[in-house]
Amino acid sequence: MDQINSQQKAKTAGLEDTMSGAGAVARTVQKLVDGAEKLNLKYSAVGNPPVFPTDAFPWAREVEAEWHLIRAELDKILVRKGDLPAFHEISSEVRSISSDQNWKTFFLCGYGIKSEEAIRQCPQTWRILQKIPGLKSAMFSIFEPGKHLPPHRGPYNGVLRFHLGLIVPNEPDKIGIRVDKELCHWEEGKALIFDDAYEHEAWNHSDKVRVVLFVDFEKPTSFPANITNKAILNLAVFTPFIREGYKAHKAWEKMFYGEGRKHR
């Protein structure tokens, strides 16, 4: 394994893994995940850099080309930004790195679960998302002014992360993301693709809101990793993390869309 690969840490202290949990079954699953991660590194079809060039994924330019349509739908959502949930209220996994109201989200889909209400509100965004092979999750990720996510590592290296800048104040000295040793900056209408299995942190130290389209997609791998990776990703929907998140999101949707309809 080369030097870049060796920098992928198995786990970040304080960050719960999607597949982790108590009991013998959970320990067995975790062993499977650990083995799959090694295969994903060895049989990656796109290498294992912390940050990827956009042109490594031809579909990314197609998504960039239609970013204004996504932004238009986002603008309608942000009319009720104050009613959107904090990320940790939907995804318990992130509570160890974010527990305030300054990281909000608008969820479209995640690991086999879709928000039909959100898709109805954002039909162009949903259509454009279908351009992404192996789409696993998608949402709008909203950093309020002053938000800083501390260094952390994603739960599993079988996915890569795609960010599309939608609202990005032009203050690169105050807004950015570090992935391993690379410092990156979002730009409106531009893609940023990285491997969240590397340690990373992100911040918005400006006095304005920053929003990106936040997507996880299946990491391209060759045999046998492609088989094991699909199996692990398909298991995710059965984990307590996903089940609890689904229940929390459905409860929020009932409130959000119910109240919204009263004003129509």
Side-chain angles (χ1 to χ4, degrees), residues 9-21:
K9 298 177 182 178
K11 189 174 181 179
T12 298
L15 179 62
E16 297 180 25
D17 287 351
T18 300
M19 302 292 181
S20 66

Side-chain angles (χ1 to χ4, degrees), residues 2 109 120-121 229 259:
D2 59 33
C109 70
R120 274 192 285 271
Q121 279 200 274
N229 192 31
E259 289 297 318

Side-chain angles (χ1 to χ4, degrees), residues 37-261:
E37 287 208 322
K38 293 177 182 177
L39 289 176
N40 292 336
L41 287 170
K42 184 175 181 180
Y43 293 98
S44 171
V46 289
N48 296 294
V51 180
F52 290 83
T54 301
D55 288 330
F57 303 92
W59 52 261
R61 296 297 186 191
E62 297 180 29
V63 174
E64 285 182 337
E66 298 194 89
W67 84 276
H68 283 292
L69 296 176
I70 301 173
R71 170 64 187 270
E73 293 182 337
L74 167 68
D75 287 343
K76 294 178 182 178
I77 299 299
L78 291 181
V79 170
R80 297 182 65 193
K81 180 167 68 70
D83 295 329
L84 298 180
F87 201 170
H88 73 277
E89 293 173 338
I90 301 299
S91 299
S92 61
E93 180 195 38
V94 306
R95 287 174 187 163
S96 58
I97 60 171
S98 181
S99 58
D100 57 33
Q101 295 296 311
N102 291 332
W103 186 14
K104 293 182 178 294
T105 181
F106 184 79
F107 170 89
L108 289 154
C109 70
Y111 295 91
I113 295 170
K114 295 190 292 187
S115 170
E116 299 296 345
E117 291 278 11
I119 291 169
R120 274 192 285 271
Q121 279 200 274
C122 302
Q124 292 298 323
T125 299
W126 186 247
R127 176 185 62 79
I128 295 165
L129 284 168
Q130 304 317 300
K131 297 176 181 288
I132 303 177
L135 174 71
K136 302 308 297 183
S137 67
M139 64 182 180
F140 293 131
S141 173
I142 303 160
F143 270 16
E144 298 282 10
K147 183 59 180 175
H148 190 136
L149 283 183
H152 60 286
R153 187 255 198 211
Y156 177 59
N157 73 359
V159 294
L160 298 176
R161 184 151 296 164
F162 170 87
H163 282 181
L164 179 69
L166 296 174
I167 299 177
V168 185
N170 188 23
E171 299 183 64
D173 58 323
K174 296 181 180 179
I175 303 174
I177 179 171
R178 176 187 62 81
V179 185
D180 193 34
K181 298 177 182 178
E182 296 193 37
L183 178 61
C184 305
H185 299 283
W186 300 282
E187 296 180 56
E188 292 185 0
K190 299 296 182 183
L192 173 63
I193 303 172
F194 63 97
D195 187 341
D196 85 321
Y198 285 94
E199 182 183 273
H200 57 288
E201 63 179 316
W203 56 90
N204 175 15
H205 296 159
S206 78
D207 60 0
K208 302 178 182 69
V209 170
R210 183 242 62 178
V211 186
V212 300
L213 178 64
F214 177 117
V215 170
D216 282 344
F217 64 96
E218 186 176 334
K219 183 176 184 177
T221 55
S222 58
F223 182 83
N226 59 338
I227 303 299
T228 58
N229 192 31
K230 285 183 184 297
I232 293 294
L233 293 174
N234 287 337
L235 279 175
V237 72
F238 301 108
T239 64
F241 161 63
I242 297 294
R243 292 199 303 269
E244 291 167 7
Y246 174 73
K247 291 178 181 178
H249 191 267
K250 292 301 289 185
W252 172 81
E253 278 192 334
K254 185 176 181 180
M255 178 278 299
F256 183 79
Y257 294 107
E259 289 297 318
R261 290 190 180 100

